[in-house]
C-alpha cells in the first residue's frame, strides 16, 4: 500500500509539472492560432505521462532497459498525438478561414453564403445563425427601402397638395385685396374650405408622426360596437348625402375595449374613403361579427375593386393607388393612420376585393 501511494505521489508531481508548463504555454499562445493550442494540449498530455513515468522510474530505480522501453513508447505516442493535433488544428483553421471569408462577403454585399465544406457542429451552428441573420437583415433592408420609397412619395405628394390650396388662397387674397371680386362672400367661403383642407392634412401628418414615434397614448374603455358605429355613421351622413351614397349598418351590440376617440377616427377615415370612391346610388355597408377570440368590423364599398398588385400597399403611408381611387383632397394618410391605430390596439387591418368593390376589415381582440 505504501509503494502504491508513493507511485501515485511521484506520478502526480511529474504530471503536475508538465501541466503547469502547458498552462503557461497556452497563456502565451492565447492570441495565436487554435492549431498551436491544440498542439500544446496534445504535448501536455504526452509530457504529463512521460514526466510521471520518469518520476516513478527514478523513485523506484527501474532498470535502464525498462526505462528506455517506456520512454520509446511514450515518444511514439507523443509523435502520433502531435501529428493528430496538428491535422485537427489545420482543419479547424481552414474552416474558420472559410467562415471568415463568408462573413466578409456578408459585410460587403449583404448576403451570407455558408461554406460548402463540412465543418464541426459548433462552426456549422455559427454558419446557420449567420445565414438566419442575413435573411433577417435582407428583410429589414427591404422594409427600409419600402419605407424610404413611401417617405419620398409622401414628401412629393404633400408638397404638391400643399402648394395647390396655398396657391388658391394666395390668388383669392390678392383678388380681394385688389377689389376686383364681384362676390367677396363666395371667395371667403372658398378660402375657408381651403383652410379646412390644409388643417385636415396637417392634422393627419401630426397623427401619423405620433403613431410612427410610438407616442400614441390610448385610453381604452369597454363600450358597445353599436354605439361606436352609430356615432361614425352619424358623422359621415352629410358626406354620404352629398355624394348620393346610401349608408347601411347592421352591427350587433358586441362589446369591445378600445379608445373611443381614436377608434371613431378609424371608422370615420374608412367611411369617408368608402363614400368618396363609391358611385352615386351606391351603398357603403358597415358590419361586425364575432370570430373566435376576435371582433371583426367590416366596411364594404362599391368602388369596383382594387388591383391585386396594389392590395399589399393599401395601408402604406402616402399610398393612393390608381387615379380612380385618388381622393380630391388629402395626402393618402387616412389608411396608414387606420392601420397604426388598430395595431396600437393589438389588432390588425386588412383589405380584400369583393364583387363590385372592396371590404376593409378591422380585427380587434375580444375583451375577456
Amino acid at each position: 500500500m505504501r509503494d502504491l501511494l508513493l507511485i501515485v505521489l511521484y506520478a502526480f508531481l511529474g504530471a503536475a509539472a508538465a501541466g503547469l508548463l502547458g498552462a503557461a504555454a497556452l497563456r502565451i499562445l492565447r492570441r495565436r492560432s487554435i492549431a498551436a493550442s491544440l498542439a500544446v494540449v496534445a504535448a501536455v498530455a504526452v509530457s504529463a505521462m512521460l514526466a510521471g513515468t520518469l518520476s516513478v522510474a527514478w523513485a523506484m530505480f527501474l532498470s535502464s532497459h525498462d526505462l528506455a522501453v517506456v520512454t520509446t513508447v511514450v515518444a511514439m505516442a507523443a509523435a502520433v498525438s502531435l501529428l493528430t493535433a496538428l491535422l485537427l488544428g489545420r482543419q479547424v483553421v481552414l474552416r474558420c478561414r472559410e467562415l471568415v471569408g463568408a462573413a466578409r462577403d456578408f459585410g460587403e454585399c449583404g448576403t451570407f453564403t455558408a461554406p460548402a465544406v463540412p465543418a464541426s457542429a459548433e462552426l456549422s451552428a455559427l454558419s446557420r445563425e449567420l445565414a438566419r441573420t442575413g435573411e433577417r437583415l435582407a428583410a429589414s433592408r427591404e422594409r427600409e427601402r419600402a419605407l424610404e420609397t413611401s417617405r419620398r412619395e409622401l414628401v412629393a405628394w404633400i408638397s404638391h397638395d400643399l402648394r395647390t390650396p396655398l396657391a388658391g388662397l394666395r390668388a383669392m387674397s390678392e383678388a380681394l385685396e385688389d377689389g376686383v371680386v364681384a362676390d367677396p362672400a363666395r371667395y371667403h367661403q372658398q378660402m375657408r374650405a381651403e383652410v379646412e383642407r390644409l388643417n385636415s392634412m396637417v392634422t393627419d401628418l401630426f397623427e401619423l408622426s405620433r403613431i410612427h414615434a410610438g407616442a400614441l397614448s390610448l385610453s381604452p374603455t369597454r363600450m358597445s360596437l353599436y354605439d361606436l358605429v352609430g356615432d361614425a355613421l352619424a358623422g359621415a351622413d352629410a358626406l354620404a348625402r352629398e355624394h348620393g351614397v346610401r349608408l347601411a349598418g347592421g352591427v350587433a351590440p358586441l362589446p369591445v375595449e378600445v379608445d373611443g376617440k381614436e377608434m371613431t377616427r378609424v371608422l370615420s377615415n374608412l367611411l369617408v374613403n368608402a363614400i368618396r370612391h363609391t358611385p352615386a346610388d351606391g351603398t357603403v355597408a358597415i358590419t361586425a361579427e364575432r370570430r373566435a377570440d376576435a371582433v371583426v368590423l367590416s366596411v364594404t364599398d362599391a368602388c369596383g375593386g382594387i388591383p391585386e398588385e396594389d392590395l399589399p400597399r393599401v395601408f402604406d403611408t402616402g399610398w393612393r393607388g390608381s387615379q380612380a381611387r385618388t381622393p380630391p383632397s388629402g395626402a393618402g394618410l387616412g389608411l396608414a393612420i387606420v392601420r397604426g391605430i388598430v395595431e396600437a390596439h393589438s389588432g390588425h387591418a386588412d383589405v380584400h376585393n369583393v364583387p363590385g368593390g372592396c371590404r376593409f376589415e378591422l380585427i380587434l381582440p375580444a375583451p375577456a
Side-chain angles (χ1 to χ4, degrees):
M1 186 64 182
R2 180 174 178 275
D3 292 341
L4 180 59
L5 291 176
L6 287 175
I7 291 173
V8 171
L9 176 61
Y10 282 109
F12 173 76
L13 291 175
L20 290 175
L21 291 175
L26 287 176
R27 181 174 178 80
I28 294 173
L29 298 175
R30 65 184 183 277
R31 298 185 184 276
R32 302 294 296 274
S33 172
I34 192 173
S37 298
L38 288 173
V40 169
V41 171
V44 167
V46 177
S47 299
M49 184 174 61
L50 179 59
T53 302
L54 292 175
S55 299
V56 172
W58 173 78
M60 297 302 175
F61 303 104
L62 295 180
S63 64
S64 300
H65 178 268
D66 293 341
L67 183 59
V69 171
V70 171
T71 304
T72 302
V73 171
V74 172
M76 292 301 100
V80 173
S81 299
L82 286 174
L83 181 61
T84 304
L86 290 174
L87 290 175
L88 176 60
R90 184 172 181 273
Q91 291 179 0
V92 172
V93 169
L94 289 177
R95 300 295 88 78
C96 287
R97 287 176 179 172
E98 292 171 354
L99 194 57
V100 167
R104 185 183 300 112
D105 294 339
F106 180 29
E108 292 175 353
C109 60
T111 56
F112 179 81
T113 303
V117 181
S120 62
E122 291 78 8
L123 292 179
S124 297
L126 177 59
S127 180
R128 289 192 298 270
E129 188 60 35
L130 285 174
R132 286 192 290 267
T133 301
E135 293 173 358
R136 289 193 293 268
L137 287 176
S140 177
R141 284 193 296 269
E142 187 62 30
R143 288 193 300 269
E144 184 63 28
R145 281 193 291 268
L147 286 173
E148 185 61 29
T149 299
S150 68
R151 289 191 192 101
R152 287 196 298 267
E153 293 175 350
L154 176 61
V155 170
W157 289 331
I158 283 292
S159 300
H160 175 271
D161 287 343
L162 288 176
R163 188 184 299 115
T164 301
L166 288 174
L169 287 170
R170 180 178 180 179
M172 286 184 286
S173 63
E174 289 177 350
L176 289 170
E177 186 178 24
D178 294 339
V180 296
V181 178
D183 188 2
R186 184 172 64 86
Y187 269 59
H188 287 145
Q189 185 178 4
Q190 290 178 347
M191 291 175 69
R192 181 188 178 99
E194 293 297 334
V195 170
E196 290 295 333
R197 179 181 173 188
L198 287 171
N199 181 68
S200 176
M201 293 170 62
V202 172
T203 301
D204 285 348
L205 281 172
F206 177 70
E207 184 75 7
L208 193 63
S209 67
R210 285 202 307 154
I211 292 172
H212 286 172
L216 183 63
S217 179
L218 299 178
S219 300
T221 57
R222 194 181 185 91
M223 61 180 61
S224 171
L225 267 183
Y226 182 84
D227 297 332
L228 194 64
V229 171
D231 292 341
L233 288 174
D237 183 64
L239 181 64
R241 282 189 280 104
E242 179 183 343
H243 286 74
V245 174
R246 294 184 297 274
L247 294 179
V251 178
L254 296 172
V256 288
E257 194 165 327
V258 295
D259 186 306
K261 178 182 177 182
E262 296 296 343
M263 196 53 62
T264 298
R265 181 183 181 88
V266 166
L267 293 177
S268 175
N269 284 359
L270 288 179
L271 288 173
V272 169
N273 181 71
I275 291 169
R276 283 175 174 167
H277 298 104
T278 296
D281 294 330
T283 300
V284 172
I286 182 168
T287 58
E289 60 178 324
R290 180 74 179 262
R291 296 181 191 170
D293 295 330
V295 174
V296 181
L297 190 60
S298 304
V299 176
T300 306
D301 59 31
C303 66
I306 301 174
E308 292 294 329
E309 63 272 14
D310 286 342
L311 284 175
R313 294 199 58 201
V314 167
F315 293 99
D316 288 353
T317 301
W319 182 85
R320 301 193 193 188
S322 64
Q323 186 65 28
R325 288 192 60 86
T326 302
S329 62
L333 305 181
L335 294 179
I337 292 173
V338 166
R339 180 178 63 179
I341 295 176
V342 171
E343 290 180 352
H345 283 85
S346 301
H348 176 67
D350 197 9
V351 59
H352 56 270
N353 288 323
V354 296
C358 60
R359 175 178 297 152
F360 288 84
E361 292 185 347
L362 307 179
I363 304 169
L364 299 170

